[in-house]
């Protein structure tokens, strides 16, 4: 997730040029920043004030509101502001993602699943969690990798992917599983023909065998400790943690580590949290990715 780029914002704002654009004061910025951080965990430094102002102005003009304080009061009101808040969050947190993003991390996924299937009696099913799944490209990529590996090892597919995000509109799109041809640019051609069905008009849909194995649900990153998900074999969390303060980031990672099965692996973005340490996991020896494996408790025998 990320804020709209300046180019995207300028294009959208041109549609409302006839409406004067108010200026967000520093005091108003910090008020909005505190609300965003308290509800989503996302931290914005003062250097990004103009970007926040642009994002707010887009939704304010849609809602017919031209005062930042009045709009703040509208959003903060409970329960009347809940719907408007959800719309605003979706405007601010643009889901910038694509299929087969971060190939080094995905290659590690392939190795982990292959390793799992080579075990004499692997624990089934394989449980995967995509954290901050956006519009679905990432969890579907993980599901396709898993499906492909099960086929390669001549095993019936026995896996499930749990995918979570804070944006309801993004989750709705993800559940549909329909994407433009442009979104598939990085997907290997044999995967496109195997795991996608043409819908006409250069649209493709993820095949049912894969789509039905991905379960989407709304989860706020700052409430990860409330998640019912447990004993995950792989937790995949990429390009999300950079939006949080270090302390909050470490709290999220601690909660994710607790939800790994013994021997399970947490994969995060390279360079996202290099200073994080947790006694229940060990960093995996891979220079291309940042991944941690949960320790397997050893039983002590008494004599």
């Amino acid at each position: 997730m990320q804020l709209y780029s300046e180019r995207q914002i300028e294009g959208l704002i041109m549609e409302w040029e006839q409406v004067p654009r108010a200026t967000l004061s520093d005091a108003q910025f910090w008020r909005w920043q505190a609300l965003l951080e308290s509800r989503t965990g996302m931290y914005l430094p003062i250097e990004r004030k103009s970007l926040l102002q642009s994002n707010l102005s887009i939704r304010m003009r849609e809602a017919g509101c031209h005062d930042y304080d009045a709009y703040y009061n509208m959003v903060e009101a409970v329960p009347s502001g809940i719907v408007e808040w959800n719309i605003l969050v979706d405007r601010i947190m643009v889901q910038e993602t694509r299929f087969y993003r971060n190939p080094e991390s995905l290659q590690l996924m392939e190795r982990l699943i292959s390793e799992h299937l080579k075990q004499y009696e692997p624990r089934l099913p394989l449980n995967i969690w995509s954290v901050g799944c956006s519009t679905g490209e990432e969890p579907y990529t993980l599901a396709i990798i898993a499906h492909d590996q099960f086929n390669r090892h001549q095993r019936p597919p026995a896996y499930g992917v749990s995918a979570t995000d804070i944006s309801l509109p993004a989750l709705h799109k993800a559940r549909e599983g329909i994407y433009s041809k442009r979104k598939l640019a990085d997907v290997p051609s044999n995967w496109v023909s195997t795991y996608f069905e043409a819908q006409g008009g250069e649209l493709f849909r993820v095949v049912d065998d894969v789509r039905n194995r991905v379960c989407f649900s709304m989860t706020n990153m700052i409430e990860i400790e409330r998640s019912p998900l447990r004993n995950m074999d792989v937790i995949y969390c990429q390009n999300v943690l950079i939006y949080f303060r270090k302390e909050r980031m470490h709290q999220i990672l601690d909660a994710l580590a607790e939800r790994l099965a013994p021997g399970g692996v947490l994969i995060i973005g390279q360079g996202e949290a290099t200073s994080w340490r947790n006694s229940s996991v060990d960093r995996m020896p891979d220079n291309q990715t940042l991944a941690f494996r949960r320790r397997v408790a050893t039983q002590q025998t008494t004599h």
Side-chain angles (χ1 to χ4, degrees):
M1 64 182 183
Q2 65 181 41
L3 294 180
Y4 279 106
S5 67
E6 293 286 1
R7 180 176 296 180
Q8 288 174 312
I9 289 166
E10 291 305 319
L12 289 168
I13 287 181
M14 284 178 64
E15 300 178 17
W16 298 290
E17 280 187 338
Q18 69 276 14
V19 181
R21 185 177 172 187
T23 299
L24 186 71
S25 69
D26 286 356
Q28 288 171 324
F29 168 82
W30 288 119
R31 192 183 188 203
W32 275 102
Q33 193 281 330
L35 181 65
L36 281 168
E37 186 170 17
S38 67
R39 292 191 178 185
T40 70
M42 185 176 72
Y43 171 70
L44 293 178
I46 189 66
E47 291 79 14
R48 306 191 76 179
K49 184 179 79 168
S50 63
L51 205 53
L52 176 61
Q53 173 179 302
S54 297
N55 278 272
L56 286 172
S57 68
I58 290 172
R59 179 55 196 163
M60 285 170 59
R61 292 172 193 238
E62 290 178 343
C65 183
H66 312 302
D67 180 86
Y68 290 108
D69 290 331
Y71 185 59
Y72 179 96
N73 293 334
M74 180 194 304
V75 167
E76 194 182 36
V78 177
S80 61
I82 294 176
V83 172
E84 183 60 35
W85 168 254
N86 287 330
I87 295 173
L88 177 62
V89 166
D90 190 59
R91 292 292 191 274
I92 291 179
M93 296 180 177
V94 178
Q95 295 74 32
E96 189 65 32
T97 185
R98 63 182 183 275
F99 283 96
Y100 214 77
R101 189 180 185 184
N102 306 115
E104 294 83 6
S105 294
L106 295 175
Q107 288 165 14
L108 173 60
M109 275 292 303
E110 291 180 344
R111 296 196 299 272
L112 290 173
I113 297 172
S114 178
E115 171 188 294
H116 175 89
L117 292 172
K118 287 177 181 177
Q119 294 176 7
Y120 177 71
E121 195 172 337
R123 183 170 57 83
L124 297 176
L126 182 71
N127 296 310
I128 303 168
W129 183 2
S130 170
V131 182
C133 68
S134 187
T135 47
E137 290 89 335
E138 177 181 284
Y140 285 132
T141 298
L142 300 177
I144 289 171
I145 288 174
H147 213 93
D148 190 66
Q149 285 297 316
F150 273 89
N151 287 339
R152 286 175 182 268
H153 288 78
Q154 299 181 332
R155 300 258 186 120
Y159 69 90
V161 179
S162 299
T164 58
D165 198 88
I166 194 175
S167 171
L168 289 174
L171 291 170
H172 175 72
K173 178 174 175 56
R175 291 187 184 101
E176 291 181 335
I178 299 175
Y179 302 93
S180 66
K181 183 178 180 180
R182 178 180 58 83
K183 285 279 190 176
L184 308 183
D186 296 330
V187 180
S189 57
N190 62 314
W191 281 11
V192 174
S193 59
T194 303
Y195 298 111
F196 293 87
E197 296 175 333
Q199 301 292 295
E202 295 198 336
L203 293 177
F204 293 81
R205 189 174 197 178
V206 180
V207 297
D208 290 347
D209 282 350
V210 171
R211 190 161 50 84
N212 292 339
R213 294 180 181 275
V214 183
C215 178
F216 293 94
S217 62
M218 182 180 177
T219 298
N220 191 327
M221 290 284 287
I222 63 176
E223 298 175 346
I224 286 288
E225 70 278 359
R226 299 183 185 178
S227 172
L229 296 174
R230 294 287 190 281
N231 293 316
M232 307 307 294
D233 296 295
V234 180
I235 298 179
Y236 196 89
C237 182
Q238 301 259 308
N239 311 301
V240 179
L241 297 170
I242 57 174
Y243 296 99
F244 300 94
R245 295 180 193 262
K246 181 182 290 187
E247 181 179 356
R248 177 94 67 179
M249 180 193 304
H250 289 182
Q251 290 171 350
I252 292 171
L253 288 170
D254 287 340
L256 292 176
E258 289 178 6
R259 280 150 181 78
L260 287 171
V265 175
L266 169 63
I267 305 174
I268 64 177
Q270 183 73 284
E272 280 189 306
T274 55
S275 63
W276 176 64
R277 299 290 184 273
N278 186 293
S279 60
S280 68
V281 299
D282 295 309
R283 179 170 177 179
M284 296 185 66
D286 188 327
N287 293 329
Q288 300 301 313
T289 61
L290 188 54
F292 302 85
R293 189 186 293 273
R294 181 156 187 174
R295 295 175 181 173
V296 179
T298 57
Q299 293 183 344
Q300 293 183 344
T301 58
T302 58
H303 298 280

